[in-house]
Structures are given as structure tokens and as C-alpha cells.
């Protein structure tokens, strides 16, 4: 497998609207997408786009607020009530090849590939096998099929 671009850093928050205000007013972000609910992961999501340079794509902060306390992000927030960095996400060309690659090394892939917040297939790899970081792997969006929520 060849590692692709760092697509986003997932940040959990108990209050999405307060986090949006923080990135806008304290961090000076000027490009924040409209929040939407991703039912499959029981989260309300939006993206803070950071600008790229020299024509390169920037990266994103993915803000996640759980829609249910017993969801994965809800349980995580119980242990981390302020919120904070929840996962990191890298792009790969082919999600099934990536899944086989990680499993071939004994890494625990959490579930089957499913459609993530960017509209492309994703998997998560367990933090205990990834240096303590929950790692999302997403199939790189195809040109002309960009999904900004
Ligand atoms: Co993510």
C-alpha cells in the first residue's frame, strides 16, 4: 500500500455550533461547511477547510458531535468531555486493497468498508494496532465526484 494524502483530522465535540464558532472566531477559519447528520455513524458533522498552497489541496478538520450518547463518538466523549482529536484519516486509491493490506499485518479493521462523511468508502483501524491513534482510511474521491457535505 502507498500512503496517500492526510485528508482530515477528526475532532469530537460536545457542541458542534460552539466548535464552529471557535474555528471561525478564534482560529480565523473562513471556509466551514454546513453541518449534516451522518446516520451510519450517529454523528452531526461539518468540515473546516484549511487552505492549500501552490495549487495543492488543503486538509480538513472534521468536527463530530454524537447524535446519541451510546454511539462510538458518544462513548468517546464520555471519557473525554472537552472533546478533542478523535481520529486521523489518510487517503488510499482502493479501500479493499487497503483493508487486505492492514489485515495481512494483523491489524484490526473495524467492520466492512462503508460510505463515510465524504461520500467515499472508508474503514477504521483499531488504535491499539496503530500507535494509539484511531486511523480512518478513505478511498480518494474521484475527480468530479467531490462531496463537501
Ligand atoms: Co473522519
Amino acid at each position: 500500500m502507498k500512503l496517500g494524502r492526510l485528508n482530515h483530522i477528526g475532532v469530537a465535540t460536545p457542541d458542534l455550533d460552539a466548535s464552529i464558532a471557535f474555528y471561525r472566531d478564534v482560529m480565523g477559519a473562513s471556509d466551514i461547511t454546513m453541518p449534516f447528520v451522518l446516520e451510519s455513524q450517529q454523528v452531526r458533522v461539518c468540515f473546516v477547510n484549511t487552505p492549500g498552497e501552490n495549487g495543492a489541496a488543503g486538509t480538513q478538520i472534521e468536527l463530530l458531535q454524537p447524535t446519541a450518547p451510546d454511539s462510538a463518538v458518544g462513548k468517546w466523549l464520555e471519557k473525554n468531555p472537552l472533546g478533542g482529536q478523535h481520529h486521523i484519516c489518510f487517503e488510499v486509491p482502493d479501500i479493499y486493497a487497503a483493508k487486505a493490506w492492514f489485515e495481512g499485518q494483523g491489524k484490526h479493521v473495524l467492520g466492512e468498508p462503508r460510505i463515510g462523511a465524504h461520500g467515499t468508502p472508508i474503514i477504521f483501524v483499531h488504535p491499539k494496532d496503530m500507535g494509539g491513534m484511531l486511523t480512518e482510511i478513505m478511498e480518494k474521491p474521484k475527480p468530479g465526484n467531490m462531496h463537501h457535505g
Side-chain angles (χ1 to χ4, degrees):
M1 191 189 80
K2 188 162 174 276
L3 184 67
R5 199 171 72 88
L6 175 64
N7 182 278
H8 64 267
I9 296 169
V11 171
T13 172
D15 185 338
L16 189 64
D17 298 315
S19 292
I20 290 169
F22 169 81
Y23 276 94
R24 187 189 57 220
D25 300 336
V26 178
M27 299 302 289
S30 58
D31 184 359
I32 304 177
T33 68
M34 287 295 291
F36 64 100
V37 172
L38 187 63
E39 288 293 350
S40 60
Q41 290 177 50
Q42 296 181 282
V43 285
R44 195 166 155 246
V45 189
C46 75
F47 301 107
V48 179
N49 290 309
T50 70
E53 293 195 341
N54 302 319
T59 191
Q60 292 177 319
I61 304 293
E62 178 185 69
L63 296 173
L64 304 161
Q65 178 181 10
T67 57
D70 61 345
S71 60
V73 178
K75 287 180 198 156
W76 188 91
L77 267 184
E78 222 173 85
K79 295 181 205 136
N80 305 272
L82 290 178
Q85 184 183 322
H86 176 263
H87 65 270
I88 54 172
C89 178
F90 297 100
E91 294 177 359
V92 296
D94 181 321
I95 200 73
Y96 288 96
K99 181 172 185 275
W101 167 267
F102 285 113
E103 286 177 340
Q105 295 176 83
K107 309 295 185 192
H108 291 82
V109 172
L110 305 168
E112 289 302 309
R114 55 199 176 279
I115 299 300
H118 293 74
T120 71
I122 63 159
I123 53 172
F124 283 95
V125 190
H126 198 288
K128 75 178 179 188
D129 298 329
M130 303 298 279
M133 282 192 291
L134 177 61
T135 303
E136 180 181 359
I137 303 295
M138 72 176 264
E139 200 163 282
K140 185 179 162 67
K142 306 275 185 287
N145 190 28
M146 288 297 290
H147 184 273
H148 283 289

